[in-house]
Amino acid sequence: MDVAFLLEKYFKGATKVSIDVFDAQTLNSVYKDVINAMTSHFEIEVSVLQALSYCLYEMMDNVHIHSGKPLGTAITYFDSTQNTMSILIADDGMGIKASLSENERYKDITEPEALKMCLEDKITDGKGLGFGLFTTSRLVDSIGKEFILHSGKHKLIRKDGQESVVENGFWQGTLIFMVIGTGEEIDPNQIVDHRADVVEEYNETFVESDEIESLW
């Protein structure tokens, strides 16, 4: 994977960018390292971290479940001046259209249709629940500044309240890039449609028991 291209394209001018490569065996440890690094930025609202931690794991796990390739790349950058977090998860696997086409129901969809559909609830190739990108989409709707989903020849772009799918370059696999605001308090469990208690999950994993009371 051309990490230099990704840095130039999506993180140009950024300093202290974190780059992590993960596979099925290291996914959990890399995920925890990434979130722990985010918690060191006290400017980020805890509620944002609670919701983001769920979405980030789902995006990383999608590489393992759906891409057909062993490795994924996670790149993150916190901009303290803009109070935003930029996150990129990428693989060089089969891509969204080919993955969804493994489900007989979606075998005839086009690539632009696949990009739109995979953000909907319960749309899956049969290997997962179809919930991870749906919750990520809800997070972007809540506090997102920019969202790009690039797979094959097409990009789905959300910015300034508008969504479009354009033919733009080629990415072998799936690339997700998003910039979210980190200073606004949100309801993390609303982001996951109250189908999981992400507040409790985050606190149990990333917060020392004697620190929990200080979060409120």
Side-chain angles (χ1 to χ4, degrees):
M1 187 176 299
D2 191 346
V3 174
F5 165 79
L6 296 177
L7 292 174
E8 175 68 17
K9 179 71 174 178
Y10 294 100
F11 297 89
K12 189 171 184 176
T15 58
K16 297 183 179 179
V17 177
S18 296
I19 305 170
D20 296 277
V21 177
F22 59 93
D23 59 17
Q25 287 69 45
T26 61
L27 190 155
N28 284 329
S29 61
V30 169
Y31 159 72
K32 289 180 180 178
D33 287 345
V34 171
I35 295 298
N36 280 324
M38 291 181 184
T39 64
S40 68
H41 300 291
F42 298 109
E43 305 97 321
I44 303 177
E45 282 286 341
V46 172
S47 60
V48 172
L49 287 171
Q50 289 165 335
L52 179 57
S53 64
Y54 183 92
C55 296
L56 179 64
Y57 184 86
E58 291 294 316
M59 287 189 288
M60 294 173 68
D61 197 40
N62 278 348
V63 174
H64 164 57
I65 294 175
H66 303 291
S67 74
K69 288 292 186 74
L71 297 179
T73 299
I75 306 177
T76 56
Y77 169 66
F78 176 63
D79 188 334
S80 58
T81 60
Q82 298 296 320
N83 215 4
T84 59
M85 177 66 72
S86 299
I87 300 164
L88 185 146
I89 306 294
D91 65 68
D92 58 356
M94 69 175 66
I96 291 173
K97 179 183 181 299
S99 177
L100 278 182
S101 294
E102 293 185 342
N103 185 328
E104 184 69 18
R105 182 181 301 177
Y106 311 122
K107 66 182 180 67
D108 295 323
I109 61 174
T110 66
E111 193 167 80
E113 288 172 337
L115 294 185
K116 290 183 177 182
M117 290 177 65
C118 73
L119 300 178
E120 298 174 9
D121 192 10
K122 299 178 181 178
I123 302 296
T124 176
D125 58 7
K127 300 172 187 173
L129 298 176
F131 191 55
L133 284 179
F134 171 66
T135 57
T136 301
S137 177
R138 288 170 67 90
L139 180 64
V140 170
D141 286 343
S142 177
I143 54 173
K145 308 295 183 183
E146 182 178 6
F147 178 78
I148 295 173
L149 178 61
H150 192 181
S151 185
K153 296 179 181 179
H154 291 85
K155 285 182 181 178
L156 182 149
I157 302 170
R158 285 186 186 173
K159 192 170 184 180
D160 300 326
Q162 303 293 318
E163 178 180 290
S164 61
V165 177
V166 299
E167 188 169 348
N168 184 277
F170 179 80
W171 182 262
Q172 176 61 53
T174 301
L175 182 154
I176 303 169
F177 174 74
M178 63 181 184
V179 181
I180 62 171
T182 57
E184 182 180 346
E185 189 170 349
I186 60 175
D187 179 353
N189 288 332
Q190 188 274 333
I191 297 297
V192 298
D193 199 26
H194 297 280
R195 292 187 235 173
D197 191 342
V198 296
V199 172
E200 182 177 353
E201 290 177 10
Y202 174 87
N203 291 345
E204 287 181 353
T205 305
F206 297 106
V207 182
E208 297 292 338
S209 57
D210 59 353
E211 296 178 358
I212 292 179
E213 290 186 4
S214 67
L215 297 179
W216 295 274

